[in-house]
Amino acid sequence: MGSVQIVTTILAAAITAVAVWLAVRAVLKLVAVIRLGQPAPERFDDKATRARTMLVETVGHTRMLKWGVVGAAHWFVMVGFIVLSLLVLEAYFEVATPRGGLPIIGHWTVFGLATEIIGVLGLVGILVLMAIRLRNRPSRPGGRSRFTGSTMWQGYFVEWVVLLVLIFGFVIRGFKVATDHFEYPLWATPVSHAVGAVLPDWQDGVSVAAAIKIIISMTWLIVISLNVTMGVAWHRFLAFFNIFFKREPARPAGSGLGALRPMTSQGKPLDFEEADPEKDQFGVAQVEQFSWKGLLDFSTCTECGRCQSQCPAWNTGKPLSPKLLVLSLRDHAYAKAPYLLAGGGKDLTGEEKATAAQLAHLDVLALAEADRPLIGTAEEGGIIDPDVLWSCTTCGACVEQCPVDIEHVDHIVDMRRYQVLIESSFPSEAGVMLRNLENKGNPWGAPPNTREDWTKGLDFAVPRVGEVDDFEYLFWVGCAGAFEDRAKKTTRAVATLLNEAGVSFAILGEGETCSGDPARRIGNEFVFQMLAQQNVETLNEAFEGREKAKRKIVATCPHCFNTLGNEYGQLGGEFEVVHHTQLLAHLVSTGKLTPVQPVDGGVTYHDPCYLGRHNRVFAPPREVLGEAIQGELTEMPRNSERSFCCGAGGARMWMEEKIGKRINVDRVEEAMATGARTVAVGCPFCSTMLNDGVNGKGAGEQVEVIDVASVLLRSVKPEQAQGDKEAAPVAG
């Protein structure tokens, strides 16, 4: 060992010792903060499915590859980081001697070939990612970037470290080639040989380059260890765990879509008949009241901004960005952690749990952070502004796009639950809706005895449950379908088509009440459970004696479809629920409904969030429309899982949109740009919002917004549908 090797070995050992010590300390801090969260025992079930899903999403990069070039580049960088870590390990042998290498596999040609290919592709990948970050930098001209609000120096730092480590990997190999110490042939490592051809015959070059490579790598480890909130770096370790512990690993719609998490206290679903606000947790009022999985979510965020780029609120000038919300919660959690780890915290009555002695040594900043309200304005020092909290439509675009399975919607609704149930703090106009749900069983406050008025004038009888001995489907009409004028036309169209196809069905009539979707998503879990338990009891009675496969429900509202099918199981209601477009597609494909007259003028289809993104029903509505128009749909640029929200979800249907551009107007402009004269929808909320948007643009004479069922009826029974055309009403 020469003098150069002695120096490089000492340097490598010293910086590695410091980096490892800091890294262990950082990991212990991360674990300690995450463990501050509430229990979530359900995250440990079905470990085999969890492991399989985690491997598919990470190794297969299934979510990242939805972004094409970005996903492919990231995959090469990820594989390079994992596999080429062996070359960082090899560098410790190379600082000691220029002829050093990994024991056993270090001389295998196949190892040299594999690492050469991965190194080259990793270089291409990181350069692509760097170019994308620069092209989308927040300071660029032309509007908001998905990186707006991200800590940009951290992203640049990580990318440059990856680039330099890859470059010095080839420099080390090049010096080995130049000094004739290289183990691999030209055909297996052409880039390394090319680098060696331009490097001098410097015997100590290998050790110096290896030392630089180690110093760069350990500097990276030191920096991220001193910044535990540096998600752009830590996600490469935490993502495996976050994906493994996702809410429903077997669900194709993804974690955090479909059903909401039940309201829990100490990891157990809350029973409102026995719940006590002084003993049980009602929603989330403090960051430590999120589950430990929530704190893991916040720690894992990569700051990539994919959620932000798809969010309808962010894209229309609202203060909500799912990314910035998560980052705010993350930064608050780690700033408050010293106070919490010292024993601090408020009990459910607001009393301090720690003694003065426990808090005496704490930094004043940690104590100040502990006093900040979780929800509050800037003047109040709040972490999340109320306008941020109430801007969410729960459309799920953020959850759909997140590459590490963060469950944004669950966290937003948990915060809403506390605000509604304990603080009684929510947009005033939503109060009318909640009172109507409690008193009338529907958000419009319509008399319950008018639920069957939509049946008047039909040329066939609509049977009620209890009036017929048997039926194949229970037709869940829903509040909109029973009371809202536009939606009643859809209800009539569906009933007419089912009757035409010979499908036996029955309705509950006055026995039906609101599914509870708007109450649950605004945060009023109490009203939701009251309505849901009533409906579950009614439905169980209607289906008494039937197995689940024969407890069939067809619903025209995606919100009812989602609630009945995905959430009523939490309350003992197990049903097979289909959306009307699914049933209609089946009836058309089996020849029970035959379109005879094409619908012309061009048709585009708007995917409802709770039908498409939340429940993965993309094809059936398009199949129905394709048969009805006997041609191709004109798709909007944002469609299917990337469809843009109409603005009505998350109980936003009953709240005023006062900030930024109206979401429905943004969507209508996109629909009108296709040139289609008909905008087909599969949701009564979407119908209302898009109709209002069309009328707001003064285009009611040029563009019609109607349900898929009405489009099909015009094709199947053109003479009957002609008299029941849906004229777009004037926006109120």
Side-chain angles (χ1 to χ4, degrees):
M1 181 183 287
S3 58
V4 171
Q5 284 69 41
I6 292 172
V7 172
T8 55
T9 301
I10 292 172
L11 283 173
I15 195 169
T16 300
V18 172
V20 170
W21 177 75
L22 289 173
V24 170
R25 190 182 70 167
V27 169
L28 292 175
K29 181 175 182 179
L30 279 164
V31 172
V33 171
I34 291 167
R35 291 184 64 187
L36 288 169
Q38 300 302 302
E42 74 280 2
R43 304 287 181 166
F44 294 92
D45 62 5
D46 200 0
K47 293 183 177 62
T49 300
R50 292 183 178 281
R52 182 169 59 252
T53 300
M54 183 268 288
L55 289 172
V56 168
E57 284 197 22
T58 52
V59 177
H61 248 44
T62 51
R63 297 174 75 83
M64 283 293 297
L65 286 172
K66 291 178 181 179
W67 283 61
V69 172
V70 178
H74 191 276
W75 188 86
F76 289 129
V77 172
M78 180 197 73
V79 172
F81 177 81
I82 294 171
V83 175
L84 299 183
S85 294
L86 290 173
L87 298 187
V88 176
L89 177 61
E90 186 176 49
Y92 286 93
F93 295 91
E94 293 163 339
V95 293
T97 170
R99 296 176 180 270
L102 281 175
I104 304 175
I105 65 171
H107 298 281
W108 294 356
T109 299
V110 67
F111 177 71
L113 174 63
T115 50
E116 185 88 352
I117 293 171
I118 292 169
V120 171
L121 294 177
L123 272 172
V124 173
I126 196 62
L127 288 171
V128 169
L129 293 181
M130 292 173 81
I132 290 171
R133 186 176 293 272
L134 287 169
R135 189 184 67 197
N136 290 283
R137 66 192 184 279
S139 59
R140 84 196 194 291
R144 290 179 168 185
S145 159
R146 66 183 175 94
F147 292 117
T148 298
S150 297
T151 314
M152 294 301 288
W153 76 262
Q154 294 179 352
Y156 293 135
F157 171 76
V158 168
E159 289 168 345
W160 273 102
V161 164
V162 172
L163 179 64
L164 291 173
V165 167
L166 289 168
I167 289 173
F168 272 91
F170 284 109
V171 171
I172 292 169
R173 287 185 163 189
F175 274 120
K176 285 187 173 182
V177 170
T179 55
D180 202 24
H181 296 154
F182 199 45
E183 306 95 330
Y184 311 120
L186 173 63
W187 68 266
T189 53
V191 176
S192 297
H193 278 270
V195 173
V198 299
L199 290 177
D201 182 2
W202 181 29
Q203 291 291 328
D204 295 328
V206 173
S207 297
V208 171
I212 294 173
K213 182 176 182 177
I214 290 170
I215 289 169
I216 293 170
S217 300
M218 292 304 107
T219 298
W220 174 81
L221 189 55
I222 289 169
V223 170
I224 74 166
S225 298
L226 294 173
N227 294 273
V228 290
T229 59
M230 194 170 175
V232 70
W234 281 105
H235 83 274
R236 62 187 60 195
F237 306 113
L238 297 178
F240 298 99
F241 299 98
N242 211 50
I243 295 170
F244 180 87
F245 289 115
K246 68 194 292 186
R247 176 146 63 85
E248 295 179 271
R251 183 177 171 81
S255 180
L257 291 173
L260 282 173
R261 282 182 68 245
M263 197 160 139
T264 60
S265 180
Q266 292 300 311
K268 298 177 182 177
L270 201 62
D271 183 349
F272 278 98
E273 292 184 3
E274 300 177 1
D276 181 352
E278 294 189 0
K279 297 178 181 177
D280 295 302
Q281 180 180 314
F282 279 51
V284 169
Q286 305 288 336
V287 73
E288 65 271 21
Q289 292 177 348
F290 287 106
S291 72
W292 62 261
K293 174 57 169 64
L295 296 179
L296 178 59
D297 271 358
F298 308 153
S299 304
T300 308
C301 179
T302 71
E303 304 189 25
C304 66
R306 286 171 176 76
C307 59
Q308 182 170 285
S309 71
Q310 302 297 300
C311 177
W314 177 260
N315 277 287
T316 54
K318 315 292 190 292
L320 168 64
S321 155
K323 178 188 71 177
L324 298 181
L325 179 139
V326 166
L327 298 187
S328 296
L329 293 170
R330 178 199 68 189
D331 293 345
H332 172 58
Y334 282 89
K336 189 178 180 180
Y339 161 78
L340 296 171
L341 293 171
K346 302 290 195 301
D347 63 21
L348 294 173
T349 64
E351 294 296 319
E352 176 59 58
K353 293 187 286 188
T355 64
Q358 286 177 297
L359 303 180
H361 69 284
L362 285 182
D363 184 274
V364 66
L365 294 178
L367 291 171
E369 194 72 25
D371 285 335
R372 297 179 65 191
L374 190 66
I375 307 299
T377 62
E379 292 76 16
E380 296 166 334
I383 308 303
I384 305 298
D385 191 278
D387 283 336
V388 169
L389 188 66
W390 297 111
S391 291
C392 180
T393 66
T394 68
C395 70
C398 49
V399 179
E400 166 73 36
Q401 291 299 327
C402 182
V404 293
D405 279 308
I406 292 171
E407 297 160 8
H408 313 73
V409 174
D410 281 342
H411 304 319
I412 288 171
V413 172
D414 272 341
M415 290 186 284
R416 284 182 171 187
R417 284 166 170 167
Y418 181 83
Q419 294 300 304
V420 172
L421 294 171
I422 302 300
E423 297 290 338
S424 295
S425 176
F426 49 89
S428 58
E429 58 270 24
V432 177
M433 177 268 292
L434 290 172
R435 286 192 296 274
N436 286 336
L437 288 178
E438 290 189 73
N439 299 328
K440 300 290 187 179
N442 67 84
W444 283 274
N449 60 8
T450 62
R451 271 192 179 269
E452 299 177 38
D453 284 1
W454 65 270
T455 63
K456 296 176 180 177
L458 292 174
D459 57 6
F460 58 92
V462 177
R464 284 113 184 119
V465 171
E467 295 179 358
V468 288
D469 295 332
D470 195 20
F471 54 88
E472 185 179 2
Y473 286 95
L474 189 151
F475 181 12
W476 182 271
V477 177
C479 299
F483 301 120
E484 204 273 331
D485 288 340
R486 295 186 190 95
K488 281 196 283 188
K489 292 185 174 67
T490 299
T491 307
R492 291 165 61 88
V494 171
T496 302
L497 290 166
L498 294 182
N499 182 70
E500 177 75 10
V503 175
S504 62
F505 69 95
I507 63 172
L508 289 172
E510 292 182 37
E512 185 182 298
T513 191
C514 181
S515 67
D517 164 85
R520 185 169 231 197
R521 276 151 186 80
I522 202 174
N524 198 324
E525 186 73 4
F526 176 79
V527 171
F528 164 74
Q529 289 202 20
M530 178 185 73
L531 295 167
Q533 286 169 354
Q534 179 180 336
N535 282 325
V536 167
E537 184 178 337
T538 301
L539 291 168
N540 282 340
E541 185 178 336
F543 288 120
E544 189 173 2
R546 298 195 193 189
E547 60 190 62
K548 181 182 177 181
K550 294 183 178 179
R551 296 157 67 93
K552 297 180 182 179
I553 299 174
V554 58
T556 57
C557 174
H559 297 264
C560 296
F561 164 68
N562 178 70
T563 302
L564 271 63
N566 295 329
E567 297 184 337
Y568 276 17
Q570 299 168 3
L571 300 168
E574 296 290 340
F575 314 108
E576 289 291 331
V577 187
V578 298
H579 189 251
H580 71 284
T581 58
Q582 294 175 295
L583 181 54
L584 294 178
H586 170 71
L587 295 175
V588 170
S589 68
T590 54
K592 293 182 179 179
L593 289 175
T594 304
V596 294
Q597 179 172 308
V599 176
D600 57 14
V603 177
T604 190
Y605 174 64
H606 163 79
D607 288 273
C609 301
Y610 273 83
L611 182 63
R613 197 155 36 234
H614 279 278
N615 285 284
R616 285 307 190 264
V617 179
F618 299 121
R622 288 173 166 81
E623 292 168 2
V624 172
L625 293 170
E627 292 293 331
I629 65 177
Q630 297 182 21
E632 293 293 322
L633 276 178
T634 305
E635 292 281 12
M636 286 183 261
R638 295 177 292 192
N639 64 75
S640 303
E641 67 269 12
R642 292 197 189 183
S643 179
F644 196 71
C645 182
C646 74
R652 289 292 324 173
M653 178 85 168
W654 291 274
M655 300 183 223
E656 289 296 326
E657 194 170 348
K658 302 173 182 176
I659 304 172
K661 183 179 182 181
R662 294 183 67 87
I663 294 172
N664 61 333
V665 170
D666 192 295
R667 185 57 166 170
V668 160
E669 288 174 351
E670 184 175 6
M672 291 174 61
T674 66
R677 290 187 56 83
T678 299
V679 180
V681 297
C683 171
F685 290 0
C686 296
S687 176
T688 296
M689 299 300 285
L690 298 187
N691 260 304
D692 288 354
V694 166
N695 288 320
K697 299 290 292 183
E701 296 297 320
Q702 295 81 41
V703 178
E704 185 181 20
V705 180
I706 59 171
D707 191 88
V708 171
S710 295
V711 177
L712 180 61
L713 182 62
R714 292 180 183 181
S715 181
V716 172
K717 303 185 73 174
E719 71 293 337
Q720 179 173 335
Q722 195 65 33
D724 199 30
K725 277 199 172 186
E726 299 181 60
V730 178

